[in-house]
Amino acid sequence: MAIKVFTKEFGGLLQNVFKTRQHFLRTFGGALQVKDGITNKDTYLELKISETDVTIQDYDMGENVGFGTGTGGSSRFGNRKEIKSVDKQVPYEKPLAIHEGVDNFTVNDNADQVIQERTPLHAEAWVEHLNGLLGKAISDNASKTLTGQMTEDGISKLFAEAHKKFVDNKVSKDIGWVAYVNADVYNFLVDHKLTTTAKQSTANVEEQEIRKFKGFILEELASEYFQTGEQVMFAADNVGVVGVGIEVYRILDSEDFAGVAIQGAAKYGKYIPDKNKNAILKAKLTPAA
């Protein structure tokens, strides 16, 4: 068998699987950026950033401001602020690799079929790896850690505090506010006294389902996606971007055994602007006393 390189095809497959199985996609721009052919490249993104805040100042109508003795040496508009952009490079952070082989003597199956089955499994495994990395990224970039008790009232107060923080931080309500919660918190919310049909709640106890609570869209996740001691992450949509740069994905005859080797190599990168960290919170809840 000649070497077959499927880098572009694998990139497309990874992107499609990411949309259906990735848990934090909406927080990171709604799409996975996939690039192929990244040989000798360490930079994921090159940005121009302008962080010059707008200053509102008094219009000075003094007799010698812009006129009289102040002609040519002063302005009634006040001091002029210069606007500059700075260059920022966002590096790839995580090298990722796949290295497998199918030996025709030992595979105990149709070798070609086994090889075909591996590609979607590789994509899913890569996505699952990214899930863990992105969950940690959200936690690491949270602007504040909220605390409370794992009780009905404690969780209600937690969501109320998170809602207040988002409002005070001027997080736009035109985009989605999401609460990633573990199963314990989700179960409290489904059974919560505030999620009754009398209050026109979206909760469905029979289906163990609730869509929103105190303005946050709920996403129930396995506990493994949360850092130790944490149970909730609050984030607005599109606070960051994420991408995978694929160097190669290939199947080639092996010199070491009677079959083929499957190899993949890529790098992972993500970026959350500092200002957007105000739209990320996390929470630690302790058991009721």
Side-chain angles (χ1 to χ4, degrees):
M1 179 189 293
I3 296 174
K4 295 183 179 180
V5 179
F6 300 111
T7 300
K8 291 183 179 180
E9 290 79 357
F10 184 75
L13 177 62
L14 180 60
Q15 198 164 17
N16 291 338
V17 174
F18 201 97
K19 289 180 180 178
T20 58
R21 296 179 182 269
Q22 209 284 325
H23 299 308
F24 304 104
L25 187 61
R26 61 187 305 154
T27 301
F28 288 89
L32 172 66
Q33 299 182 20
V34 179
K35 301 178 182 179
D36 64 289
I38 59 163
T39 303
N40 298 323
K41 291 183 180 179
D42 295 321
T43 301
Y44 164 49
L45 287 176
E46 294 183 356
L47 306 171
K48 294 283 187 181
I49 299 176
S50 177
E51 295 185 337
T52 306
D53 292 328
V54 175
T55 300
I56 304 296
Q57 50 199 359
D58 293 334
Y59 186 83
D60 194 337
M61 295 183 290
E63 181 179 350
N64 291 312
V65 178
F67 292 90
T69 60
T71 302
S74 62
S75 169
R76 289 191 168 182
F77 292 96
N79 294 331
R80 180 181 294 125
K81 179 180 287 187
E82 185 176 6
I83 301 171
K84 293 182 178 180
S85 293
V86 296
D87 294 323
K88 181 176 180 62
Q89 291 186 332
V90 181
Y92 285 108
E93 300 177 19
K94 282 285 184 179
L96 308 173
I98 293 171
H99 195 192
E100 296 180 348
V102 177
D103 190 315
N104 293 327
F105 283 104
T106 61
V107 65
N108 193 33
D109 202 340
N110 183 302
D112 290 337
Q113 183 176 340
V114 169
I115 293 168
Q116 292 176 6
E117 291 170 350
R118 296 308 295 174
T119 298
L121 293 176
H122 292 160
E124 291 177 19
W126 215 319
V127 167
E128 186 62 13
H129 186 70
L130 283 175
N131 280 333
L133 295 175
L134 295 183
K136 186 176 187 304
I138 294 173
S139 176
D140 290 346
N141 285 276
S143 60
K144 186 176 179 62
T145 300
L146 308 180
T147 59
Q149 282 195 324
M150 185 70 81
T151 63
E152 184 174 280
D153 288 341
I155 291 173
S156 181
K157 290 178 181 178
L158 173 71
F159 272 74
E161 184 179 358
H163 184 273
K164 184 177 185 298
K165 286 289 183 184
F166 270 44
V167 171
D168 288 346
N169 289 342
K170 300 178 182 178
V171 180
S172 173
K173 290 187 177 182
D174 294 332
I175 60 177
W177 296 4
V178 181
Y180 299 104
V181 302
N182 70 6
D184 292 331
V185 174
Y186 190 83
N187 289 335
F188 267 109
L189 293 172
V190 170
D191 298 330
H192 202 284
K193 60 189 176 185
L194 296 179
T195 60
T196 63
T197 54
K199 293 182 178 291
Q200 297 181 331
S201 168
T202 58
N204 186 326
V205 178
E206 288 78 11
E207 297 295 331
Q208 194 67 8
E209 183 178 72
I210 179 172
R211 294 192 293 274
K212 295 186 73 174
F213 190 76
K214 291 189 180 293
F216 289 95
I217 300 166
L218 298 176
E219 294 283 351
E220 182 188 18
L221 300 179
S223 295
E224 68 183 82
Y225 299 120
F226 298 87
Q227 304 309 298
T228 302
E230 299 173 11
Q231 298 87 9
V232 187
M233 294 182 288
F234 301 94
D237 286 353
N238 306 320
V239 295
V241 293
V242 61
V244 171
I246 298 177
E247 169 57 29
V248 68
Y249 184 79
R250 65 190 180 189
I251 300 172
L252 65 159
D253 285 333
S254 175
E255 296 180 352
D256 301 318
F257 56 89
V260 298
I262 307 172
Q263 298 174 338
K267 296 178 180 179
Y268 151 85
K270 63 99 176 74
Y271 177 62
I272 300 176
D274 286 340
K275 286 188 175 181
N276 286 359
K277 294 178 183 180
N278 282 331
I280 304 175
L281 304 168
K282 62 182 179 181
K284 294 184 176 182
L285 296 168
T286 58

